[in-house]
Every structure is written in C-alpha cells, then in structure tokens.
Amino acid sequence: MTELSGRATVLVNPAAGGGTAGTSEREVLATLRSLGFDPEAVQTTSAEHAVAVAAAAAPDDVLLPLGGDGMISFVAAGCVRSGALLAPLPAGRGNDFVRGLGLPRDTLAVARTLGAAAERRIDVGTIGDRTFVGTAAIGFDALANARANRVRRLRSALVYTAAGVQTAFTTRPITFTVRTTGPDGDRAESFAGWNVAVGNSGRHGGGLTATPGADLADGLLDVVVTRGRRFDQKATSALLERGGNHVRLPHVDGWRATLVEITAIDRAGRPLEVYADGDPIAVAPVQIGLLPGALRLFY
C-alpha cells in the first residue's frame, strides 16, 4: 500500500445518480474510518469547485469523487495539478470509468477495497485546457449523450440506451475530417459517417465499449471511426458497441495515435460538440492530446 497521510477527502455531488450519491456519503465516511483513513466530506457546488478542491490537496492525500463520470473527471483534473491520489467511487448513472477499471459498481463495495489499494499511474487525455480520463466522442455517441443528460427521471444506465434509440432515428450523416499522428506515422482523411471516438479508457455511455483496445497506461489514444451514410450502418455499429464488437464491421476502423485533430459538421453546416466523460467539453474543430502517466490512481 502506498505511504499515505491518512487524509481522505470525499467530494460529493449530491445530484449524481438521481440523488443517490448524497445518501451514501455517511456510509462511505464510516467505511473509510474503519480502514484507518481520516476522512472529511466536501459538498461540491460546481465543476470548478471540484477541480479547485483537488488542486489544493497535498500530494499524499486521497481524493474520492462520489458522483458520476463527470465528477471523476473534474476531480482528476485537480489531482493532475496537485499530484494527489484519485480513488473513484461509482455513484452516477453510467459509472463507465469504474467499469473500465474492473471495479464493482456498488459505492460501498469499492470503498471497502481501498484497504488493499495500490497506486497506479495512468494517462490523461487533453482537449485545449480541459482533461478527460475516459472517452471523447463526436457524432452519434455525443448526440445520444446530450439527449441522455437532459433526462432526469431515469436513474440507471438505461437512460443511455433509450437516448441511443431515439438518436438513431434523428441523426443524419456527418462530414468528418480526422488527422492523427502516432506510432505508425501521420494519417488524414475526410469522410461521411456517424461517429468518431477517441479513447483513453475504452468505456462510455453506460457500458458501451467505444474503443475496446484502449489502455489507460500505454501512452496512446485509441481512435475508432464509424463511416457510412446508410441507417443500417449506423444501427449495427451502435448495437454492437455495447460489447466492443462494432470494430469488426467493414465500415468501422480503428488505430492508435498520440495526437488527434477532428472537424465535424452536420448537414446544416454546423460544427458539432465533443463529449468526454459524459459532459460537453468543446466544439469542433478540436485537437486531442495525451499526458502520459500524469494521474496517480489509487484503487
């Protein structure tokens, strides 16, 4: 186990998971005390507040975001600045980052594992001055994510499935330009299609495996593009993405890169938003990079 100060700060997003995050705060604190930590809880008031609290931590402190993937992403951004350790707790609807680590999706079950946790260095994706730990997407997946974020009544990951079905019937082909630099050289292409996913971790959208080969510690981003103009191409890739099998389709292609530039325009000529870790992060054109080993993960 990494030498720690014993200080642990639980950053709570009370609205996460339809309000379930706030209700588990007391149990999480009790579990941490039983493991020898000296925990405190901080109710976050905004994304900026979550980043600031983590950025002000000491390097041997443990920061535990109690919320969804967005909350984990914001706390991770602060931990990159401070050098503190991040121990993610699943308390959202998707919990994709925790899924990708192979941890249970039960908040207290994950908290109990921290007694035997170890430090692991992982990469962090960058878009401008923002960072992400999971997957950045533009096109169909981002449009479905936006629709899911507008739904408050469904508390489970089913909200992403419902949003995907609705989005499938409204999305039209998108014009993409993708340029990448990577271990196999430079690559550039323009095409009509449905989606571009850039993965640091492979998961997003409540259990989708957008970039199945992604490795959090390999110093590379995994790029997966879905081409095509037909509805069946869009539908089959969306259905198979849950198990990561969409990459076997002839209109889906993937490769690795260290730098990715994407332009995406809809039929009306409007640039599209990029979503990362469940939230809007930028508007195309974007440049996506990587900070290798920049985050200390504790799990």
Side-chain angles (χ1 to χ4, degrees), residues 6-31:
R7 290 189 299 269
T9 302
V10 180
L11 294 95
V12 184
N13 177 4
T20 58
T23 62
S24 58
E25 173 190 332
R26 182 177 299 179
E27 291 86 351
V28 168
L29 293 174
T31 299

Side-chain angles (χ1 to χ4, degrees), residues 69 72-73 76 96-97 122-125 131-137 197-204 210-211 214 216 221-222 275-278 290:
D69 288 310
I72 291 172
S73 187
D96 287 293
F97 186 66
I122 68 167
D123 308 330
V124 175
T131 60
F132 67 95
V133 292
T135 300
V198 180
N200 181 42
S201 168
R203 302 293 189 92
H204 76 162
T211 54
L216 282 165
L221 295 163
D222 278 48
Y275 271 65
D277 297 337
L290 195 70

Side-chain angles (χ1 to χ4, degrees), residues 39-297:
E40 67 169 333
V42 175
Q43 302 285 322
T44 58
T45 57
S46 65
E48 294 76 16
H49 182 216
V51 174
V53 171
D60 55 354
D61 289 351
V62 179
L63 280 295
L64 301 98
L66 183 59
D69 288 310
M71 181 69 164
I72 291 172
S73 187
F74 296 131
V75 176
C79 288
V80 169
R81 299 180 194 177
S82 66
L85 291 118
L86 174 75
L89 297 175
R93 294 189 293 186
N95 300 315
D96 287 293
F97 186 66
V98 168
R99 289 174 193 253
L101 296 176
L103 293 171
R105 282 175 278 161
D106 178 84
T107 306
L108 293 181
V110 173
R112 293 186 193 105
T113 68
L114 294 175
E119 177 184 340
R120 296 166 174 83
R121 288 271 183 174
I122 68 167
D123 308 330
V124 175
T126 64
I127 300 178
D129 60 354
R130 297 281 300 274
T131 60
F132 67 95
V133 292
T135 300
I138 186 166
F140 178 84
D141 284 355
L143 294 168
N145 198 155
R147 187 184 294 270
N149 285 0
R150 294 193 292 268
V151 177
R152 299 300 176 192
R153 290 172 296 176
L154 284 175
R155 295 185 178 184
S156 72
L158 287 174
V159 67
Y160 297 102
T161 302
V165 171
Q166 292 173 314
T167 304
F169 289 100
T170 58
T171 307
R172 298 294 179 265
I174 298 160
T175 301
F176 292 100
T177 298
V178 179
R179 297 182 177 87
T180 63
T181 300
D184 297 324
D186 297 342
R187 180 168 178 161
E189 64 173 304
S190 296
F191 59 93
W194 303 109
N195 197 68
V196 176
V198 180
N200 181 42
S201 168
R203 302 293 189 92
H204 76 162
L208 301 180
T209 307
T211 54
D215 183 331
L216 282 165
D218 65 354
L220 295 169
L221 295 163
D222 278 48
V223 183
V224 173
V225 302
T226 304
R227 305 184 184 89
R229 296 178 179 274
R230 303 193 315 266
F231 180 86
D232 65 297
Q233 293 171 317
K234 170 176 51 177
T236 54
S237 60
L239 287 170
L240 293 175
E241 190 176 343
R242 182 153 298 277
N245 294 315
H246 60 306
V247 296
R248 300 178 182 178
L249 296 169
H251 58 281
V252 178
D253 195 9
W255 63 94
R256 292 182 169 89
T258 53
L259 184 66
V260 184
E261 297 178 19
I262 306 171
T263 298
I265 300 171
D266 67 13
R267 292 182 70 183
R270 296 169 300 199
L272 297 182
E273 282 188 307
V274 180
Y275 271 65
D277 297 337
D279 289 313
I281 194 169
V283 176
V286 293
Q287 186 176 88
I288 304 176
L290 195 70
L291 300 174
L295 179 63
R296 298 170 68 204
L297 198 63

